[in-house]
Amino acid sequence: MPIVELHVLEGYGAEDKRRLGEALTDAVRFVVPAAPEAITVMIHEMPEPHYYRGRTTRGGAAALPDPKELVRSYLAAMEARDLAKAEGMLGECFTMQFPGTVPMTKLKELIEWAAPRYRFVTKTYEGFDAMQSEGAAAIVYCRGTLSGEWPDGTPFDGIRFIDRFEVEGGKITKQDVWNDMGEVRGTARKAEVRP
């Protein structure tokens, strides 16, 4: 039964400590074949006056937002076409790439690119997965299916997608999108042409 002990400075809330406990449990499970209930995580809080570095009392940094929740909020804002809210969640050097496009840096570019491809699209999520990269970014994958309408008003649904996001400093810095929309649309067009 693995036991992990963590010392943090005072000031982190219950939700921050829950996230730490879950993340440490998952980190152990990457290496040790143990069920989550077999892993014990103990978080010890250190009062601020008892922590010194360089002869100076130091305080803890604020917890970063949950990257999965940030991505969920961003996707909800995009689906609602609340572009101002969605843009507020993006980093300065944000880039996104969709199938068949060059990288885009503005949400307006995405809206213009998508306009002749479909009237609207909604996502049904099967899951979100988050992990820390070897660098500074947290990586979030979301996967599920797309539904909506083609430009002629014909409905579509059940189209697979997966999105990969990079999150740094509480902002989304990169979005990569893969889906079967082109293949499904191509099959639908071939069916329309057949006698």
Side-chain angles (χ1 to χ4, degrees):
M1 178 172 92
I3 298 172
V4 178
E5 290 193 54
L6 173 68
H7 295 265
V8 296
L9 297 179
E10 277 183 337
Y12 292 102
E15 177 64 13
D16 302 327
K17 288 185 264 188
R18 182 195 62 77
R19 288 176 52 212
L20 277 169
E22 288 180 1
L24 290 169
T25 299
D26 293 343
V28 169
R29 294 183 70 217
F30 268 114
V31 179
V32 178
E37 58 273 10
I39 301 167
T40 301
V41 176
M42 291 184 256
I43 300 175
H44 305 283
E45 288 188 298
M46 304 295 296
E48 275 190 46
H50 297 141
Y51 171 68
Y52 293 86
R53 187 175 66 226
R55 298 183 179 176
T56 304
T57 301
R58 305 289 179 164
L64 293 169
D66 183 335
K68 283 195 288 191
E69 292 308 314
L70 176 66
V71 167
R72 282 181 198 268
S73 295
Y74 166 76
L75 292 169
M78 288 297 293
E79 192 167 309
R81 287 298 182 250
D82 188 345
L83 299 185
K85 182 176 181 180
E87 285 172 348
M89 299 177 210
L90 305 179
E92 286 184 30
C93 298
F94 172 74
T95 61
M96 62 187 148
Q97 188 152 12
F98 284 70
T101 70
V102 297
M104 295 177 268
T105 59
K106 304 282 184 238
L107 297 181
K108 182 181 174 191
E109 293 173 291
L110 170 61
I111 301 301
E112 291 170 358
W113 172 80
R117 288 166 174 74
Y118 48 81
R119 282 188 183 178
F120 72 89
V121 68
T122 60
K123 294 182 174 184
T124 301
Y125 301 105
E126 293 174 4
F128 286 77
D129 301 302
M131 65 210 69
Q132 184 63 43
S133 71
E134 291 181 9
I139 308 298
V140 178
Y141 285 93
C142 68
R143 63 196 182 286
T145 57
L146 304 172
S147 58
E149 287 185 3
W150 300 117
D152 67 1
T154 304
F156 62 83
D157 67 359
I159 298 175
R160 298 179 313 159
F161 81 89
I162 187 166
D163 293 352
R164 180 187 182 275
F165 294 87
E166 293 185 15
V167 178
E168 290 187 52
K171 298 285 187 177
I172 297 169
T173 57
K174 188 172 183 184
Q175 178 183 7
D176 291 306
V177 175
W178 296 272
N179 61 55
D180 293 336
M181 191 172 276
E183 288 77 9
V184 171
R185 183 63 176 152
T187 301
R189 285 183 176 156
K190 286 178 186 175
E192 291 169 7
V193 173
R194 289 186 189 142

